[in-house]
């Protein structure tokens, strides 16, 4: 540990299994530096892990900057964030999280997973409070065998409702086809059984009556 004091130029550096706890944040890293008036700014580097205790969000990255006044954390390089309350995991190269608004802005190689939803994009905005996700930059959402693409995509993580805007494309699997095929096969079997029990045709009945008349004449 090393540091200096001087009003607005306060600075403290922790190296080797560094740990710091604020009112709403717990941070572990190889190196942590605190600067600014009343140690307003926190910079963590090298195998950074942390927890936002107020938002119930865990994260890992390689570099982090946190402003204790604005409550904004900027995570950089191989960022992995977990929102356990909403069962959401996200990966990106940069994630900026505003603790006051509970909004995470994600940049570069974004991948977000929630239940059956797998979301990919170059840019994303995740609102933890409203459970809304906005994707842009070649966005794609995969739900099982279904895939949705557009210029911009909005996903309600609570209802799974998807809104697509601009150059929409995708693949949707219709599971009802296999059910329809089974129903058609059952109908064919029922029809075959019905044909077996149908009464003789009218021509066959007329033929039997003619044979009976000829036999009666011969007897006379």
């Amino acid at each position: 540990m090393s540091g200096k004091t001087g009003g607005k130029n306060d600075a403290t550096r922790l190296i080797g299994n560094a740990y710091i706890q604020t009112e709403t944040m717990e941070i572990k890293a190889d190196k942590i530096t605190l600067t600014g008036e009343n140690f307003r700014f926190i910079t963590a580097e090298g195998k950074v892990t942390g927890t936002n205790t107020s938002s119930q969000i865990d994260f890992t990255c390689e570099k982090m900057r946190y402003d204790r006044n604005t409550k904004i954390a900027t995570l950089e390089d191989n960022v992995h964030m977990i929102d356990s309350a909403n069962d959401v995991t996200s990966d990106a190269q940069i994630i900026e999280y505003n603790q006051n608004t509970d909004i995470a802005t994600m940049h570069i190689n974004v991948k977000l997973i929630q239940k059956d939803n797998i979301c990919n994009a170059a840019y994303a905005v995740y609102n933890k409070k409203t459970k809304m996700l906005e994707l842009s930059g070649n966005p794609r959402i995969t739900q099982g065998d279904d895939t949705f693409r557009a210029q911009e995509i909005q996903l309600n993580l609570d209802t799974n409702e998807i809104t697509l805007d601009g150059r929409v494309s995708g693949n949707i699997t219709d599971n009802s086809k296999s059910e329809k095929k089974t129903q058609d096969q059952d109908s064919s079997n029922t029809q075959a059984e019905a044909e077996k029990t149908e009464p003789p045709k009218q021509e066959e009945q007329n033929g039997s009556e003619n044979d009976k008349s000829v036999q009666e004449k011969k007897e006379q």
Side-chain angles (χ1 to χ4, degrees), residues 88-107:
V88 174
T89 61
S90 52
D91 296 273
Q93 287 302 306
I94 301 173
I95 296 180
E96 182 181 273
Y97 184 76
N98 189 322
Q99 186 176 326
N100 293 324
T101 61
D102 273 336
I103 294 177
T105 305
M106 310 176 189
H107 305 263

Side-chain angles (χ1 to χ4, degrees), residues 132-147:
M132 290 297 300
L133 176 66
E134 299 178 6
L135 303 169
S136 60
N138 194 27
R140 180 178 75 253
I141 294 180
T142 303
Q143 293 180 337
D145 295 330
D146 301 338
T147 302

Side-chain angles (χ1 to χ4, degrees), residues 78-80 90-95 106-112 119-124 135-138:
N78 300 318
V79 184
H80 181 68
S90 52
D91 296 273
Q93 287 302 306
I94 301 173
I95 296 180
M106 310 176 189
H107 305 263
I108 309 173
N109 296 330
V110 178
K111 182 178 181 180
L112 186 143
C119 310
N120 300 88
Y123 178 83
L135 303 169
S136 60
N138 194 27

Side-chain angles (χ1 to χ4, degrees), residues 1-211:
M1 175 180 176
S2 62
K4 63 178 182 178
T5 60
K8 296 182 179 181
N9 296 320
D10 291 346
T12 298
R13 179 175 296 178
L14 309 174
I15 299 175
N17 296 321
Y19 172 81
I20 185 171
Q21 180 177 357
T22 70
E23 301 87 351
T24 57
M25 190 78 71
E26 294 182 7
I27 305 169
K28 297 178 182 178
D30 294 336
K31 180 170 66 175
I32 298 178
T33 304
L34 297 86
T35 58
E37 187 176 5
N38 295 323
F39 303 111
R40 171 181 174 178
F41 303 103
I42 300 174
T43 302
E45 299 175 90
K47 296 181 181 179
V48 180
T49 62
T51 300
N52 189 316
T53 54
S54 64
S55 302
Q56 296 182 341
I57 288 181
D58 300 320
F59 59 86
T60 61
C61 61
E62 296 180 14
K63 186 176 181 180
M64 171 189 177
R65 296 191 304 272
Y66 179 59
D67 187 331
R68 295 175 59 196
N69 287 1
T70 63
K71 305 295 183 182
I72 294 177
T74 302
L75 315 175
E76 299 180 9
D77 300 332
N78 300 318
V79 184
H80 181 68
M81 190 174 72
I82 301 174
D83 178 7
S84 55
N86 293 327
D87 192 23
V88 174
T89 61
S90 52
D91 296 273
Q93 287 302 306
I94 301 173
I95 296 180
E96 182 181 273
Y97 184 76
N98 189 322
Q99 186 176 326
N100 293 324
T101 61
D102 273 336
I103 294 177
T105 305
M106 310 176 189
H107 305 263
I108 309 173
N109 296 330
V110 178
K111 182 178 181 180
L112 186 143
I113 300 176
Q114 187 257 359
K115 296 180 181 178
D116 294 331
N117 297 306
I118 301 176
C119 310
N120 300 88
Y123 178 83
V125 177
Y126 168 53
N127 191 319
K128 175 180 169 66
K129 290 181 179 179
T130 62
K131 298 182 182 180
M132 290 297 300
L133 176 66
E134 299 178 6
L135 303 169
S136 60
N138 194 27
R140 180 178 75 253
I141 294 180
T142 303
Q143 293 180 337
D145 295 330
D146 301 338
T147 302
F148 305 90
R149 295 182 178 88
Q151 287 182 309
E152 296 180 358
I153 301 178
Q154 289 185 345
L155 171 63
N156 187 321
L157 296 173
D158 190 29
T159 64
N160 269 347
E161 181 180 354
I162 298 176
T163 303
L164 308 172
D165 185 16
R167 296 181 183 177
V168 178
S169 65
N171 300 312
I172 300 177
T173 303
D174 188 2
N175 294 325
S176 62
K177 288 183 178 180
S178 58
E179 296 177 359
K180 183 178 180 181
K181 183 177 180 181
T182 303
Q183 292 175 355
D184 292 343
Q185 186 176 1
D186 293 341
S187 300
S188 300
N189 293 337
T190 303
Q191 184 177 358
E193 292 295 333
E195 291 177 352
K196 291 181 181 179
T197 58
E198 283 183 354
K201 294 181 179 180
Q202 187 65 30
E203 294 180 357
E204 294 177 356
Q205 293 178 356
N206 293 338
S208 300
E209 293 177 357
N210 292 336
D211 293 342

